[in-house]
Amino acid sequence: MTLGELKAQFKGLLNNNVINKNDALLTTFINQSIMRIQRELRVPFMEKQILYTIPDTYTKLAIPSDLLELIAIMVDTDNDGILEYELTRSDLTRVMRASQVPGMTPRMFSRQGGSWILGPKPGVGSQVLIHYYAEFSALSADTDTNTCLKVAWDAVLYGALSAAADYLQDDERGPKFEARYGQITKLLQDQADADELTADAVMAPALPIGNDDGYDW
C-alpha cells in the first residue's frame, strides 16, 4: 500500500471534514502511528542486517543511522565467510583497552558516541555483521511506501485513526480505533514471538565468545 492509498482509507473511516481537508495534519497522524509501531513492536519485518568487511583504515564501526535497537554483532573468526560468534557488550574502558590488541578475534563491544568499538581489534578483511531493528524509510509523496505499509498497513491505519480521535476528543470512536490497533499489533508481536521458537526465525542464535582465555583486558 502507498501513502496515498492509506490516506484514502483513513479519510473514508474517519469521515471528518476538518482533518480530511488538511493533508499535513493527516500525514502527521500517519507518521505518529508509524513512530508508535517502531517504539512498541519488535518483529521480523523491522529487522535489518549490514555486513562490513574490515578495511585497513578501520578504527571503529559506524552505528547505522536508522538503528532502533541492536540485536547482535557477529564476527567471522577466521575469514572463512562464516559468521559464527556473537560479541558481548562490555564497558567502554575495558573494550578500549582490548581494542589496542590487533590480530585477534573480537570478543566484546561498547558504544562510543555514534560508533561501536570492538575489542580486540578485528583484522583487515574480517567480516562483521550488524543485526538490528531499523526505522522504516520516510514517507513524503503519495506514491511512497515502506515495509511497514506493505506488511502492517492496517496497524498504521488504526494507530493514525486513534491519534486523530484523540485530537478531535472523539470519546466514542477513539476507544474502538485504539482497540483495533491493539488487536493488530498484538497479533503481529505474538506471531513474531512464536516464530522465534521455531526454525522460521530470521537468524539462529550465534555462539557468544566468552572471555575466559586468560587475557586481562
Side-chain angles (χ1 to χ4, degrees), residues 118-138:
L118 307 185
K121 182 178 180 180
V124 175
S126 297
Q127 291 189 317
V128 179
L129 184 134
I130 310 302
H131 186 199
Y132 65 102
Y133 293 108
E135 294 178 348
F136 300 113
S137 58

Side-chain angles (χ1 to χ4, degrees), residues 58-63 73 87-100 106-122:
Y58 167 84
T59 55
K60 56 185 69 174
L61 205 61
I63 295 176
I73 299 179
L87 305 188
T88 57
R89 190 185 298 269
S90 188
D91 65 88
L92 181 60
T93 300
R94 186 166 181 243
V95 176
M96 287 294 291
R97 286 201 304 267
S99 71
Q100 304 306 307
R107 289 166 167 75
M108 65 190 82
F109 74 97
S110 185
R111 183 168 187 159
Q112 184 185 53
S115 302
W116 285 304
I117 307 296
L118 307 185
K121 182 178 180 180

